[in-house]
Structure formats: structure tokens, C-alpha cells
Amino acid sequence: MSDISNVPNAEEVDKNNLNANTTESTDLANNESLETNEPQPEEQLVEAEATADDAVEEVANESNEETEAAESTEKSEEDEVINEIEESNAEDAEDEGNKERHTITVKEYDTMSLEALAIELEKLLKNEKIQAIRSHVDKINGVFKAKFQALIDEKKQDFINEGGNEIDFYYSSPVQKRFKAAYRDYRKLLNDHYQNLEKNLKDNLVQKLEIIEELKGLINVEENINTTYKHFKELQERWRNTGPIPRDKYNNAWNSYHHHVEMFYDFLHLNRDLRDLDFKHNLDKKLKIIERAEELAQDDNVLGSFRELQELHKMWKEELGPVGKEHREVIWEKFKAATKIINDKRQVYFKEIDKVYEKNLDKKLEIIAKIDAVNAENGHSHNIWQKKIKEIESLRNDFFNAGKVPIKVNESTWAKFKDSVRTFNRKKNAFYKDLKKEQYTNLQKKLELIKIAEDNKESEDFNVTTPLMKKIQSDWKRIGYVPRKDSDKIWKQFKAACNYYFDRIHATRNAANKETLEAFNKKNELLNTLKDLKLDDDNEAGINTIKEYINQWKSIGRIPNDKRYIEGKFQKTIDELLSGLKMGKDEVEMIKFENKLDNINSTEDTRNLDNERSFIRKKIDELKGKINQLENNLEFFTNVEDDNPVVKEVHQNIKAHKESLKLWKVKLKKIKEFY
């Protein structure tokens, strides 16, 4: 077979003149022998070569014109969607698992709690391919960082408000450690994946470029037409079986490959019937693709239709060869027309989504305005600021739950929100800074009272010193808060000095009062009687009996201070008797408490009564704190069912604490009656 460049175009010569230098060639379509031609005269060969050269040049010019037209069309606005599809397919072609990103549901990550975000990240790592979840992980990571930073800012402020130094602040949480561990796993898996992928992509690119070079060589090869065509088909199969290549090389490589495939069909003097058979096969397949695209254009599932359209473009481009020239432009225009309809519907869909995002933006801007309004209000007390803190916390949650906003304003909206919250925090800090100064002033006042108490605790002039000690106790109560780190320490110091003084008074008075000793002996006898007491089964009768003994005990009178331990024994004995009755737990507790108050109030010194009231208030504060802590803990179980054992236990503890709180409040009300 002669050099292809010296042979006339297949469309211009008779099949019998396919090869001027061979005596026989096989008809690929009919398997019939072609006639043998005699060698042409030299001038005829020259003319044939010139004709072939002209034909080649004409086809080349025609190809260049088509290429220029294609490039011009590609740059036009109407083909922007084609470019988008090709870029997406190039990304998927680089890594086959990447296209599964289209099937992963995009959730409202902005509205999720920190724990829910950590759980969602773990689920993605467990159930999806690592390369398909990148956009999801990026969004989850961004939301988690923003919410956790807001939490840290809040905790830091609380730490500073309680007297801590900002440089000493440190905060971590189990949910943060959980999220970081999952994110580290993600980064490692993604890095390992891309390291393995990179080498394969480069190797595959080399193979595809080699296939293109072999395609180029088919035009000039001198061999039997059957062999050439078989070689061509093998190259096509190799191309399809070669794995993915880098996305930035995808379109150039495919365009080059497609160009040389068409060149093979256009320039190679292949039997027309066989060529047309290939063209017909490709045309049938592409018409079916067009038919499917037109069906998708009528489908209401806009995003699903567009994703399938991407697959159709990939089949059109990668799996099917060219068609006859007379059909190429026509079917491509039909395919583009269906593509445009689908894309137009997608644009309308996104415009509707944008409207929702705009509404979300209005909500978030309204929330920011409310925060600014809170910032404009003056706060002159701790209670007011606590109320404002809760209000801002509620607005922060509303902001996070308001949904997505348009991408173009996302960062600016977030910046406005952070600026408003920071303004609030600065004002709050300023208030508590001033409050801290006031607390240090109060501290100095209480230290002065401690000095007075310690200077007078050894005094023998009880008539003068006792009113003084009572006055400084009253002054202590009127002085406001001191820094928490000093509160317990100075209270113990003041209490010890006052107690020392009053214990001395009691000791002196008890030594001089024989009546109190006699009262002790009587109470001791009564206590021994109670130890052997057997109550009736009748609750009412039993309660009356106990109250009679209590009244007897009270009527005996005061006892020496150093013998007051017997009061505790009596109280314990009464408690045991009450416990044996069939009464409600709270009712029994109140009877015990009332008896205890009677004993406390029987002395002239009000310290025990004051201490009891302080103790009750402390218990109430502790219970409130425990209830708040447990209720806060429930927020970390947003995705956990109510019948979960841990959740049930938390609910039970909250209920128990609330019942206990109710009883302590009744006790506080009762003790106030003694003032």
C-alpha cells in the first residue's frame, strides 16, 4: 500500500482505484476482490498526487474552519453550561468515586448542635467515599469552628467575670476532642487517597498520549486496510479502558483524541460501507441520548435531570465516535437545545432557592438589629446583665438556626453578627470590671470588720462588747459581694472571731447558772424514757405522743452550752420515732425541721438561726445549679431518643432535685417566720 499522502481522497476515486501499487485489496464490506489496475503513466501519477494534495488541503482547511467555529461557539454565553458540564465531568473522570458526591444529601449544617456536627462527620467517614465528601466536610468544619469559637468566647467571659485572669483561661470539651479526632482521620484518608491517585493519573495520561500518537501514525501507515482498521479499533478500546487522568489535562486530551479519530475517518481510504456502518451506529446511539435528554427536559426533578444530563454528555463525548458530516452539526444542535432547556429550569430553581436565602438573610439581619438594640440599653445591676446575657444567648441560637444566606453576603453577614456580639461582650466586660472594683471595696470593708471582731473577741466587758459584735454582724450582712476567691476565706475568719466571743459569754453564763444543769439532768432522764417508748399503730396517736414529749422537752428550759449535745441526741431519737410512723417523707421531714427550729430559737444567740437560714439558702442554690447543669447536659443529646438509659437517668435526677428543691423552699419560708 502506498503512502497515504500520495493517494487521492477516498470520496474522489473509484473503489477499484483504491490502491495503485497493489494487485489486489480486500473489500471490507462485501468481502469481494477488487480489480487489479495497471500502473499509470508518470503524468497521471503526478496529476493524481496533485489531486490528492488538493483534497487533503481542502479537508484540512475545512477542519480548521470547524475548529475555529467550535472555539468561538465555546466562548459564547449559550455554551457556558456545556463548559460547566465538561468541567464537572472532567472532575469526575479524574476520580471515579468523586461523582458520588452528587448523591449525598446536603443537610442544614448551620442548625446542628456541636455534637450533631461531630456525629454527622463520623457518619460521612463511615458510609461514603473519602473523595466524595470534601464539600460536605468543609461546610461542617466551618460551622463547627464558628459555633465552638462562640462557645469559647462565652466561657472565657464567664471566667473573667468570676475574677479569673484571661491569660489563665483554658477550655476544652469532649465534643471538641471527638470532632478533631474524626477530622484528623478525614485528612489522613484524603491525603492517602490522593497520593495513590496522583501516580495513577500520570501513568494513565502517558498511556492516552501514546494512543493519540498511534492514531496519528495510522494515516501514514502502509498496511492492509483490514489490519489498519483492526488496529484503529484496538486503540479505541485501549482508550476506553485506560483509567482517569488529571482533570486539567482531560479536555485537551479528549479533544485531541476526538480530532484524530475524525481525521482517521475523513482521510483514511476506508471502505465507505464499513465507515458508514460505524457512523450509523454512533448516530443511533446519539439520537437515543438526545431522546433521553428531551425527556429529562420535561422532568420536574431539576437537579436529578441535570446530573443525568452530565452523564449523557460524558457518554456522547467519551464512549461514542463521530457520525457523518451531514449529521454532526444537526444532532449537536438538538442535544444543545435540550441541554439549554434543562439548564434554564435549573437556573429558575436556583433563583427560587436564592429567594429563600434572601429571606434567611432578612431574618439574620433582624437578629443582628435586635442584638444592637440590646447593646444600646443600659444595665446598672448584675440581675439586669444576667437577663441580657440570656437574651443574647437566645438571639445567637436564633441566628445559627436561621438557615443559609446568599454566598455573596455570607462572610459580611457573619462579620456583622460577630461585631455585634463582640460589642455586647465589651460592654458586659466593662460592667463586670467596674463591679469587680466594687467587690474589692467591699472586701476592704469586711476586712475592717474582721479586725474589729478579732480585737474584741477576748473582751471581758460583755455589756459593751456584745452590742458591738452584734452590730458588726449586721454590718457584714449589708455589705455587698466580694471576689469569689476571697469570699469563703474571710467569712470563716469573721465567723471564727465572733463565735469565739459568744462561746466565751455562754461558757461564763453556764458556769454561773445551776438551773441549766438541773434542766440538763431532767432532759437526760426524759431522753432515756424516749429510748424505750413504743408507739401505737395509729399514726395520729403516735404523732400526738411525740409532740407531747417535745413539749415536755421544751418546758424543761435551757441547759449549759457545753451540754447542748443532748439536744442532738433528743432530735435523733425523735427522728427515729417519726421514721417508724406511716407518714409521707416530706411530712416527717417538716415535723423534724420544726422541732429543730424550736430548739435553735430557744437560745438568746441568733447565730444558730442565722446559720440555719444560710445553710438552707445554700442548699437551694446548689439544687438550682445542679438542675441547670443537668438541663444543659440534655442539649448535648439532641439526636438521642428519650428512652435512652442515660437520658432517662438525667430526667429522673432533674425530677428528684426539683422535689428536693420544693421542700427546701418550704423550710426557708418556715424559718423566716422566726424573724
Side-chain angles (χ1 to χ4, degrees), residues 174-186:
V175 69
Q176 180 198 28
K177 294 177 181 178
R178 180 177 183 178
F179 185 86
K180 281 186 174 182
Y183 191 74
R184 281 195 299 269
D185 291 343
Y186 163 74

Side-chain angles (χ1 to χ4, degrees), residues 489-543:
K489 177 182 176 181
I490 63 172
W491 166 243
K492 290 178 180 178
Q493 191 175 354
F494 180 71
K495 182 180 178 181
C498 292
N499 286 350
Y500 181 85
Y501 172 77
F502 285 107
D503 286 344
R504 287 181 58 247
I505 291 179
H506 297 153
T508 302
R509 289 176 179 175
N510 289 339
N513 194 346
K514 295 181 180 180
E515 293 180 1
T516 57
L517 186 58
E518 292 176 0
F520 168 76
N521 293 330
K522 291 179 180 179
K523 285 189 174 183
N524 194 35
E525 292 174 2
L526 181 59
L527 180 62
N528 292 329
T529 302
L530 280 174
K531 289 179 180 179
D532 300 325
L533 180 64
K534 302 295 182 181
L535 296 175
D536 296 335
D537 293 335
D538 184 356
N539 278 348
E540 185 175 352
I543 292 173

Side-chain angles (χ1 to χ4, degrees), residues 180-351:
K180 281 186 174 182
Y183 191 74
R184 281 195 299 269
D185 291 343
Y186 163 74
R187 297 299 305 173
K188 182 179 185 303
L189 291 171
L190 189 65
N191 185 58
D192 293 344
H193 170 77
Y194 281 126
Q195 283 185 349
N196 295 330
L197 181 64
E198 184 178 5
K199 182 178 183 303
N200 293 334
L201 293 175
K202 291 179 180 179
D203 293 343
N204 294 337
L205 177 61
V206 171
Q207 293 183 44
K208 288 203 169 185
L209 293 178
E210 289 175 353
I211 292 171
I212 292 172
E213 289 301 316
E214 289 189 50
L215 275 174
K216 293 179 184 179
L218 289 181
I219 295 176
N220 298 318
V221 71
E222 294 185 5
E223 62 183 4
N224 182 277
I225 195 67
N226 277 326
T227 304
T228 303
Y229 183 72
K230 182 179 179 182
H231 190 183
F232 170 70
K233 285 298 183 182
E234 289 174 351
L235 291 176
Q236 284 186 309
E237 186 66 20
R238 279 172 55 195
W239 179 273
R240 283 190 288 267
N241 293 334
T242 303
I245 64 175
R247 74 179 70 171
D248 58 335
K249 302 292 191 298
Y250 173 79
N251 282 323
N252 285 340
W254 186 89
N255 288 333
S256 178
Y257 167 76
H258 185 68
H259 171 71
H260 287 95
V261 167
E262 289 190 343
M263 288 288 290
F264 177 82
Y265 281 116
D266 292 341
F267 288 97
L268 183 63
H269 296 289
L270 182 66
N271 178 281
R272 287 190 179 185
D273 290 340
L274 188 57
R275 182 190 65 180
D276 291 346
L277 191 64
D278 252 8
F279 282 173
K280 183 178 183 304
H281 168 77
N282 294 335
L283 178 61
D284 290 341
K285 293 290 186 182
K286 288 188 174 181
L287 288 175
K288 289 181 179 179
I289 288 176
I290 293 171
E291 181 181 352
R292 179 56 184 159
E294 291 172 344
E295 290 175 358
L296 292 175
Q298 307 304 318
D299 197 325
D300 292 333
N301 184 357
V302 179
L303 298 183
S305 296
F306 190 80
R307 285 196 292 270
E308 187 173 345
L309 178 67
Q310 289 180 273
E311 291 295 321
L312 295 179
H313 274 267
K314 183 177 180 181
M315 291 170 58
W316 183 288
K317 186 172 184 178
E318 296 183 22
E319 298 179 15
L320 299 175
V323 300
K325 286 185 179 181
E326 68 275 15
H327 299 297
R328 290 176 189 174
E329 189 67 24
V330 175
I331 64 173
W332 175 241
E333 289 300 325
K334 288 184 69 176
F335 191 30
K336 281 207 300 182
T339 296
K340 186 177 185 305
I341 294 173
I342 296 172
N343 184 62
D344 288 346
K345 291 175 69 174
R346 187 177 70 131
Q347 295 304 320
V348 171
Y349 170 82
F350 282 125
K351 285 180 181 178

Side-chain angles (χ1 to χ4, degrees), residues 106-122:
V106 179
K107 299 182 179 180
E108 293 291 336
Y109 300 123
D110 288 344
T111 65
M112 291 185 176
S113 66
L114 292 173
E115 182 166 1
L117 290 169
I119 292 172
E120 186 63 25
L121 177 56
E122 291 170 346

Side-chain angles (χ1 to χ4, degrees), residues 65-83:
E65 291 174 0
E66 290 177 354
T67 303
E68 291 173 1
E71 292 174 352
S72 176
T73 303
E74 186 178 0
K75 293 177 183 178
S76 67
E77 292 184 1
E78 69 176 8
D79 281 350
E80 286 183 4
V81 63
I82 304 297
N83 294 335

